[in-house]
Amino acid sequence: MAEEDRRDINIIGGGPTGLFAAFYAGMRGASVRIVDSLPELGGQLMALYPEKYIYDVGGFPRITAKELAENLIAQGTQFDPDIRLEEEVRDLVADDVGFTLLTSDGRYPSRTVLIAAGKGAFAPRPLECPGYTELLGRGLEHHVRAPSIYGGKRVLIVGGGDSAVDWALALQHVTDRLVLIHRRAGFRAHAHSMRQLHEAVDAGRIHLLTFREVRAIHGEQEVTGVTVFDNRTEQEDHLEVDAVLALIGFKPDLGPLTRWGLELDRNTIRVSATMQTNISGIFAAGDIATYEGKLELIATGFSEAAIAVNHAVHHIDPKARVNPGHSTNLRVFKERERPEAAVPRSN
Ligand code: NAP
């Protein structure tokens, strides 16, 4: 790979923190590359809850996650970052100038690295019961690949979050043999979705069972049934089903990041007040970074991105000031908005 492909900052993660970092780096004149395993930018905002309202981002009394992601993408891509989507980060190798990031598709050199990978890659939470491993992908799934697959089938959905309830609401239109079970009476899903769920249950389109959990999944080649138990009475029931959708959330998975010699604290990376990790030139920000007093909020992710980028810029060029000054006064914006304003006039 040619040396000109070396960016100032390789940003791992294209969620809110990574996107704001990309903007901030551009503002500071630093070149960046964003690498993400997801097919689109926006991180959890787009992948997990695009329609949900967010109320605690400064300047927006209320904004949907999708709209916030769109604004962040517009802001974060204005300085032309090199964007690599659907690439899984595999390894990071130190070299003479900085680091080379190895992904499923390429080798990307940079001077510094900013890890803004949120909770890491998302691994679906497994059902811990007999039959799970053998029947995963054989009628037992964590994702709906295509609703039509379930046309007319006997389907069991497990979970009480938005994924389970949204898919129950969607699949009621392709099959009338749909059972939703959840381990308690309270649900995590949107209130609006819950109203729709209760309407569908009252109309007999979805069969809802609460305080139920899966004890075993049965089938030779494909799922043919499940044993479900009532967690208050331990009473077991056998349900004949063709498909099980285990939509019970995700667990964080830092994957290869755990092998880079970074100081970890459970599923997070320890950083100093400058957002630098224990490895000089590698910074972390957002949900993946931890320090005393840490709050996992989008608002803190933005602030941490700014701190990390300013220190990365200073790391690359010790003569560059850490403090960026106020964006209202920065030449880079004046030149873009009113090119003549930046050019001294001669009369
Ligand atoms: P989630 O919100 O974490 O919900 C997982 C559900 O599975 C919970 O109800 C949990 O029960 C249950 N559960 C967990 N482990 C279990 C186990 N071992 N056995 C049985 N049940 C188990 O996951 P999600 O629904 O996939 O949603 C993930 C995130 O994406 C959430 O923030 C969600 O709001 C968001 N999302 C949003 C939308 C949307 O905005 N339309 C759509 C999909 C997802 P407990 O409640 O008892 O813990």
Side-chain angles (χ1 to χ4, degrees):
M1 178 170 279
E3 182 58 20
E4 57 265 30
D5 285 317
R6 185 178 290 272
R7 299 277 163 146
D8 289 324
I9 311 176
N10 268 343
I11 299 174
I12 302 175
T17 301
L19 284 166
F20 191 65
F23 156 73
Y24 213 94
M27 187 180 93
R28 295 273 350 231
S31 60
V32 302
R33 173 182 294 112
I34 303 175
V35 180
D36 202 307
S37 60
L38 293 170
E40 61 181 336
L41 291 170
Q44 288 184 45
L45 298 180
M46 293 300 278
L48 293 184
Y49 50 96
E51 308 305 332
K52 277 195 171 170
Y53 280 107
I54 299 174
Y55 300 89
D56 59 352
V57 176
F60 296 101
R62 146 181 134 145
I63 186 166
T64 63
K66 182 167 188 278
E67 214 184 324
L68 180 63
E70 285 165 357
N71 286 344
L72 281 162
I73 292 166
Q75 187 181 34
T77 56
Q78 62 185 298
F79 296 103
D80 300 322
D82 178 19
I83 298 170
R84 305 286 168 169
L85 295 174
E86 284 189 277
E87 292 195 28
E88 274 170 38
V89 167
R90 297 264 163 88
D91 209 350
L92 184 71
V93 182
D95 59 37
D96 292 347
V97 186
F99 305 90
T100 296
L101 187 64
L102 309 180
T103 73
S104 45
D105 292 58
R107 298 170 59 85
Y108 303 115
S110 65
R111 293 180 180 80
T112 62
V113 174
L114 172 54
I115 305 172
K119 306 257 180 224
F122 284 97
R125 185 173 290 126
L127 275 173
E128 279 160 20
C129 67
Y132 171 83
T133 314
E134 298 80 352
L135 291 163
L136 190 61
R138 298 166 176 263
L140 165 63
E141 300 286 351
H142 288 294
H143 307 279
V144 174
R145 294 181 207 290
S148 57
I149 296 172
Y150 300 100
K153 294 215 169 132
R154 298 166 299 180
V155 182
L156 174 76
I157 299 182
V158 188
D162 282 306
S163 299
V165 173
D166 281 3
W167 279 114
L169 293 173
L171 295 184
Q172 65 174 315
H173 303 297
V174 301
T175 179
D176 55 6
R177 296 190 288 176
L178 188 58
V179 181
L180 171 64
I181 64 166
H182 179 37
R183 64 185 176 184
R184 60 190 178 100
F187 282 73
R188 291 172 191 265
H190 279 300
H192 174 66
S193 311
M194 289 309 296
R195 281 193 291 279
Q196 290 179 299
L197 176 67
H198 287 304
E199 276 168 28
V201 170
D202 291 345
R205 292 192 300 272
I206 298 174
H207 188 50
L208 173 65
L209 297 168
T210 49
F211 298 102
R212 299 302 202 289
E213 296 179 47
V214 175
R215 179 140 284 159
I217 308 168
H218 311 287
E220 290 293 323
Q221 297 300 318
E222 296 280 323
V223 170
T224 53
V226 284
T227 301
V228 164
F229 72 101
D230 184 320
N231 58 25
R232 297 163 301 183
T233 62
E234 288 292 319
Q235 187 191 319
E236 291 186 353
D237 283 309
H238 182 80
L239 304 179
E240 287 187 1
V241 295
D242 307 302
V244 176
L245 282 166
L247 305 179
I248 57 172
F250 300 87
K251 55 181 189 126
D253 179 11
L254 293 191
L257 304 191
T258 57
R259 299 192 294 269
W260 296 351
L262 296 163
E263 190 187 335
L264 302 176
D265 185 345
R266 274 178 280 182
N267 283 309
T268 54
I269 300 169
R270 281 235 154 248
V271 292
S272 68
T274 64
M275 308 310 295
Q276 188 160 239
T277 67
N278 59 314
I279 301 178
S280 177
I282 304 184
F283 297 80
D287 285 359
I288 203 159
T290 197
Y291 47 85
E292 197 184 337
K294 167 78 182 189
L295 290 177
E296 281 185 19
L297 297 173
I298 291 174
T300 39
F302 291 163
S303 154
E304 291 165 9
I307 295 169
V309 168
N310 282 315
H311 284 278
V313 165
H314 181 69
H315 175 92
I316 294 166
D317 175 8
K319 290 201 286 300
R321 287 187 314 164
V322 172
N323 193 323
H326 298 300
S327 65
T328 44
N329 299 328
L330 290 183
R331 238 177 103 149
V332 61
F333 297 113
K334 291 213 165 83
E335 281 167 9
R336 292 174 150 233
E337 276 155 36
R338 219 156 38 94
E340 73 282 4
V343 181
R345 284 174 189 274
S346 60
N347 46 353

